[in-house]
Amino acid sequence: LQVSATADVCVVIPAAGLGERLGLNQPKAFVAIKNWSLLSLSIKRVLEIERVGHLIVAAPSNFKEESLSHIDRAIREVGRKIPFDVVEGGETRTDSVKNSLLVLDQLDRFVLVHDAARPFVPKQVFENVIEKLDQGAKVVIPVIPVSDTIKTVENSKVVNTLDRAKLKAVQTPQGFAREVLSEIYATSDLKPTTDDAGLAELAGISVTTVEGSVESFKITTAFDLELAIDFFNRKISK
Ligand code: CTP
Ligand code: MG
């Protein structure tokens, strides 16, 4: 087992979504909690992981300058500077990640894709993903158990009930050996998927799961943002 001491992990942060479900008429990654944008909170978490040596942010076309200032501010706050790139996002999350992969470096052995919309991801989850990649897994995703019963519904009618014991809710960061991620995004008929591992599954590549965290919840709706504000206030008052 080879454990590298170098900063050979690149983190890609897709931050180019419009945040339509949040409904604040501004791209979600730039919505702030106590003066810190979701993007800058996510970047601060990323900078705290010693193995991370490269950061790529995919931003809406008119938010590239602003993204640079959010990266700068996070770097100053954490006190750790690493090489970074800001690229233009695309129409779908898949397009945004694809654009990010154009600026990958040969030194990036592993690539972790992490949603800007999950600003409270604990360090442990990054470590769980990196550990499995170190052990040779090609694609690694953090998951948590599902508490609700999940049913398939069509036209307001229940079609069937899925076996909850087998269901997992999928989070980010999703980790990849660089060559594997580049390969699954290189296909000409790229299908937009809601996560990156979905493309690996379509390509028949095996995907390994590790333990995620309830703290890594995705801010999607206005209620999620309210919860996030309370959570943030509780954390900083401790
Ligand atoms: N994302 C992106 N480019 C897109 C769409 C989404 O980079 N074209 C990013 C978002 O910025 C977010 C992550 O992918 O960090 C997860 O997407 P989601 O939660 O759906 O965010 P939005 O697309 O912004 O929200 P909505 O779907 O409500 O518009
Ligand atoms: Mg979206």
Side-chain angles (χ1 to χ4, degrees):
L1 191 89
Q2 190 197 330
V3 178
S4 171
T6 57
D8 56 358
V9 173
C10 172
V11 174
V12 170
I13 302 188
L18 297 178
E20 280 173 337
R21 288 169 290 178
L22 189 56
L24 291 180
N25 287 320
Q26 67 168 312
K28 186 163 69 185
F30 300 86
V31 169
I33 298 177
K34 281 267 170 83
N35 203 25
W36 286 97
S37 65
L38 302 190
L39 175 62
S40 59
L41 290 171
S42 296
I43 294 171
K44 282 200 282 177
R45 287 288 156 108
V46 166
L47 292 173
E48 281 161 9
I49 317 296
E50 296 83 8
R51 279 285 290 275
V52 176
H54 185 193
L55 170 70
I56 303 170
V57 173
S61 55
N62 48 341
F63 277 80
K64 286 169 80 176
E65 284 300 316
E66 188 160 342
S67 297
L68 289 172
S69 76
H70 291 231
I71 294 171
D72 275 340
R73 189 168 169 226
I75 284 175
R76 274 184 279 115
E77 174 83 4
V78 175
R80 176 164 180 256
K81 190 176 167 75
I82 59 172
F84 58 82
D85 295 282
V86 174
V87 304
E88 193 163 318
E91 208 165 304
T92 66
R93 185 185 182 284
T94 306
D95 295 326
S96 296
V97 174
K98 191 181 169 104
N99 290 351
S100 304
L101 302 185
L102 298 174
V103 297
L104 282 176
D105 191 277
Q106 292 297 316
L107 296 173
D108 302 330
R109 178 161 169 238
F110 301 133
V111 184
L112 270 49
V113 185
H114 179 64
D115 291 331
R118 298 180 189 272
F120 304 121
V121 54
K123 192 176 185 184
Q124 183 66 51
V125 177
F126 277 95
E127 288 170 354
N128 293 346
V129 171
I130 293 170
E131 183 181 24
K132 270 283 181 267
L133 290 170
D134 277 333
Q135 290 169 359
K138 299 295 178 215
V139 183
V140 182
I141 62 172
V143 301
I144 57 170
V146 174
S147 343
D148 292 322
T149 295
I150 310 267
K151 296 180 192 286
T152 307
V153 176
E154 277 171 23
N155 303 320
S156 307
K157 294 282 182 199
V158 171
V159 178
N160 65 336
T161 302
L162 303 166
D163 176 6
R164 193 173 66 193
K166 286 188 184 170
L167 296 174
K168 301 286 179 197
V170 175
Q171 304 181 325
T172 69
Q174 300 195 343
F176 302 80
R178 173 169 42 84
E179 299 77 14
V180 171
L181 187 60
S182 298
E183 195 181 306
I184 60 177
Y185 269 91
T187 74
S188 53
D189 61 338
L190 193 60
K191 291 190 182 58
T193 50
T194 49
D195 75 337
D196 310 284
L199 292 173
E201 291 158 49
L202 291 175
I205 298 166
S206 119
V207 178
T208 305
T209 64
V210 293
E211 201 176 334
S213 166
V214 288
E215 296 191 6
S216 193
F217 67 99
K218 184 156 75 73
I219 298 172
T220 305
T221 63
F223 183 65
D224 296 332
L225 184 61
E226 283 180 41
L227 291 178
I229 292 166
D230 287 347
F231 184 70
F232 186 80
N233 286 334
R234 187 162 64 82
K235 285 250 149 176
I236 58 172
S237 66
K238 263 204 265 189

